[in-house]
């Protein structure tokens, strides 16, 4: 056989056997884009699994025109706040599951850097366990995700990945079905959504009480550097209004925690540290029509997005009375700590 014809056949066969499948996989991964490296949307990627929020939301910042008035950051609870519900400003929701107190500042600094200007406001959810030194972060440091997102050709190279293909197929399936039965999926615009049922609340409550009983048998290990960490956050953003607020939780869970003397002592120190650094803290800790209605929650940590809308409304209209939020400052802190513990049915 003519050597030239042999080479042509070799290249043609190689392309058919190797090239077409490879380009097919890359094309499919690009079309679904489970890593949020691109901006396109279609009917088969409108449900996105938030399998690695730190990487995904950092990728989102790098792949989109990142120009926002304000920033919102917190834990998985805050992922359910729809950034579109802010009426007075454009807000990017950079909230991440299990956000550790050590992670706040690096992600906030990175978001400001990419924004190209200081944020008008930074809404910061701080939660009681963020002061618990006994719960260290088990995830990679923020710089790992940032460096990955900014690595040369990362977006293109990720299209070759088998794990990308795995998540692309998953997102394709749930998008085609227009349904995800897990606790949280995302739209292409960083909006968390859920239809997760709350029919296991009673059983989950028994688990929480048992776990809390075992956990509270040990002293709360208060992070001795906690106040310094808060001060570092404040000092890093002199040109932004820092709106610090507590997590909203079911009243039964809150009161179970506060009725424990050791936890209440740590809680008091936590509130004193936050007020001492930021001046005012907006507390969503209380017994009210929202926190006592178990239909507002799908487990004992997370509420449904409609509750997130109420939180946003309260934070955007801080000067107006709120049924679910209290302004806590040096002038009323002692009174707040006295009144936050109430008798509710926590059986």
């Amino acid at each position: 056989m003519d050597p030239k014809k042999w080479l042509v056949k070799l290249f043609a066969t190689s392309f058919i056997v190797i090239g077409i499948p490879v380009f097919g996989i890359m094309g499919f991964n690009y079309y679904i884009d489970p890593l949020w490296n691109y901006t396109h949307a279609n009917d088969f990627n409108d449900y996105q699994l938030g399998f690695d929020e730190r990487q995904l939301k950092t990728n989102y910042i790098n792949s989109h025109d990142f120009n926002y008035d304000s920033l919102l950051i917190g834990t998985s609870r805050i992922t359910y706040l729809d950034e579109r519900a802010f009426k007075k400003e454009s807000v990017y929701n950079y909230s991440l599951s299990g956000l550790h107190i050590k992670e706040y500042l690096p992600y906030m600094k990175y978001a400001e850097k990419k924004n190209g200007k200081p944020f008008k406001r930074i809404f910061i959810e701080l939660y009681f366990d963020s002061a618990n030194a006994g719960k260290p972060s088990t995830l990679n440091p923020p710089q790992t995700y940032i460096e990955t997102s900014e690595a040369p050709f990362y977006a293109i190279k990720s299209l070759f990945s088998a794990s990308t293909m795995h998540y692309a197929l998953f997102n394709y399936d749930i998008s085609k079905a227009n349904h995800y039965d897990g606790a949280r999926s995302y739209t292409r615009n960083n909006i968390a959504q859920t239809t997760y049922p709350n029919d296991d609340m009673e059983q989950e409550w028994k688990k929480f009480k048992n776990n809390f009983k075992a956990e509270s048998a040990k002293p709360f290990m208060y992070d001795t550097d906690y106040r310094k960490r808060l001060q570092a956050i404040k000092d890093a953003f002199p040109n932004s209004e820092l709106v610090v607020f507590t997590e909203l939780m079911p009243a039964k869970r809150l009161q179970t925690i506060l009725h424990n003397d050791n936890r209440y002592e740590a809680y008091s120190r936590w509130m004193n540290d936050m007020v001492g650094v930021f001046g005012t803290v907006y507390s969503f800790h209380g017994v009210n029509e929202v926190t006592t209605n178990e239909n507002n929650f799908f487990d004992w940590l997370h509420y449904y997005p409609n509750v997130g809308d109420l939180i946003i409304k309260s934070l955007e209209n801080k000067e107006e009375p709120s049924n679910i939020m209290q302004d806590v400052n040096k002038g009323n802190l002692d009174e707040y700590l006295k009144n936050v513990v109430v008798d509710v049915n926590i059986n």
Side-chain angles (χ1 to χ4, degrees):
M1 179 183 292
D2 188 333
K4 290 183 179 179
K5 290 183 178 181
W6 183 83
L7 284 173
V8 170
K9 286 186 177 182
L10 177 62
F11 282 120
T13 302
S14 298
F15 179 76
I16 292 171
V17 174
I18 300 174
I20 291 179
V22 168
F23 283 110
I25 291 171
M26 290 179 64
F28 181 75
N29 287 344
Y30 170 80
Y31 186 63
I32 305 302
D33 186 30
L35 289 172
W36 302 6
N37 282 319
Y38 302 96
T39 61
H40 59 275
N42 56 67
D43 290 341
F44 298 107
N45 73 352
D46 54 354
Y47 278 72
Q48 298 271 309
L49 183 66
F51 61 93
D52 188 352
E53 287 166 330
R54 285 160 175 77
Q55 195 64 68
L56 298 182
K57 293 195 176 188
T58 302
N59 292 349
Y60 188 99
I61 288 174
N62 278 302
S63 64
H64 288 71
D65 180 17
F66 196 73
N67 182 20
Y68 290 85
D69 297 324
S70 299
L71 182 70
L72 171 66
I73 191 166
T75 60
S76 57
R77 287 174 288 266
I78 306 304
T79 63
Y80 293 99
L81 271 63
D82 187 337
E83 59 193 44
R84 300 170 303 180
F86 285 92
K87 304 302 182 184
K88 300 178 181 179
E89 55 205 299
S90 61
V91 178
Y92 181 67
N93 189 340
Y94 206 0
S95 298
L96 307 166
S97 296
L99 188 68
H100 193 272
I101 189 61
K102 295 179 181 179
E103 296 182 283
Y104 278 77
L105 186 54
Y107 285 119
M108 290 165 67
K109 281 184 174 181
Y110 183 68
E112 183 182 70
K113 174 186 173 184
K114 301 300 289 188
N115 202 46
K117 61 182 184 298
F119 291 108
K120 180 180 179 181
R121 269 182 282 273
I122 304 179
F123 298 92
I124 309 170
E125 179 218 35
L126 290 174
Y127 58 104
F128 179 39
D129 255 351
S130 66
N132 189 349
K135 294 189 175 182
S137 176
T138 58
L139 296 168
N140 292 324
Q143 198 59 31
T144 302
Y145 302 98
I146 292 169
E147 289 176 355
T148 295
S149 186
E150 295 196 332
F153 309 112
Y154 160 69
I156 295 175
K157 288 189 292 185
S158 68
L159 299 177
F160 290 93
S161 168
S163 63
T164 303
M165 183 69 175
H166 168 78
Y167 290 112
L169 286 168
F170 189 90
N171 287 352
Y172 172 83
D173 287 339
I174 61 177
S175 294
K176 187 177 179 180
N178 283 317
H179 177 75
Y180 174 57
D181 58 9
R184 178 166 64 255
S185 65
Y186 283 91
T187 70
R188 291 292 289 171
N189 296 315
N190 190 36
I191 308 302
Q193 52 197 359
T194 186
T195 56
Y196 200 65
N198 66 347
D199 46 15
D200 288 334
M201 291 291 280
E202 185 176 347
Q203 187 64 30
E204 290 299 320
W205 177 247
K206 293 178 181 178
K207 290 182 182 179
F208 168 76
K209 287 199 302 181
N210 290 335
N211 291 338
F212 182 76
K213 183 178 180 180
E215 192 175 287
S216 60
K218 307 171 186 176
F220 188 98
M221 296 175 58
Y222 197 91
D223 182 356
T224 55
D225 290 327
Y226 191 76
R227 185 160 180 152
K228 293 180 181 177
R229 301 188 199 282
L230 300 185
Q231 189 65 50
I233 291 173
K234 181 181 179 181
D235 292 344
F237 303 97
N239 299 311
S240 300
E241 176 190 355
L242 303 185
V243 182
V244 176
F245 62 100
T246 72
E247 79 273 40
L248 184 147
M249 69 173 82
K252 282 174 65 172
R253 181 171 177 265
L254 172 69
Q255 295 305 321
T256 298
I257 294 170
L258 295 181
H259 276 77
N260 178 278
D261 290 342
N262 178 256
R263 264 48 183 179
Y264 176 76
E265 181 181 353
Y267 180 87
S268 299
R269 181 176 177 181
W270 177 61
M271 288 297 301
N272 269 279
D273 279 348
M274 290 192 296
V275 169
V277 173
F278 298 108
T280 298
V281 173
Y282 299 93
S283 174
F284 288 95
H285 289 164
V287 178
N288 52 61
E289 60 185 10
V290 172
T291 60
T292 55
N293 184 351
E294 292 179 12
N295 290 325
N296 286 322
F297 304 86
F298 61 81
D299 61 28
W300 293 96
L301 284 173
H302 301 94
Y303 40 76
Y304 286 110
N306 64 294
V307 176
D309 291 344
L310 299 176
I311 292 173
I312 290 174
K313 183 178 180 180
S314 294
L315 291 173
E316 269 210 310
N317 301 280
K318 301 188 298 296
E319 301 77 14
E320 299 178 11
S322 170
N323 294 329
I324 62 171
M325 185 182 81
Q326 303 176 66
D327 301 10
V328 184
N329 52 53
K330 293 179 181 178
N332 68 0
L333 177 57
D334 290 341
E335 181 183 2
Y336 168 83
L337 291 172
K338 184 189 304 181
N339 295 331
V340 71
V341 183
V342 300
D343 290 325
V344 297
N345 181 13
I346 54 177
N347 294 326

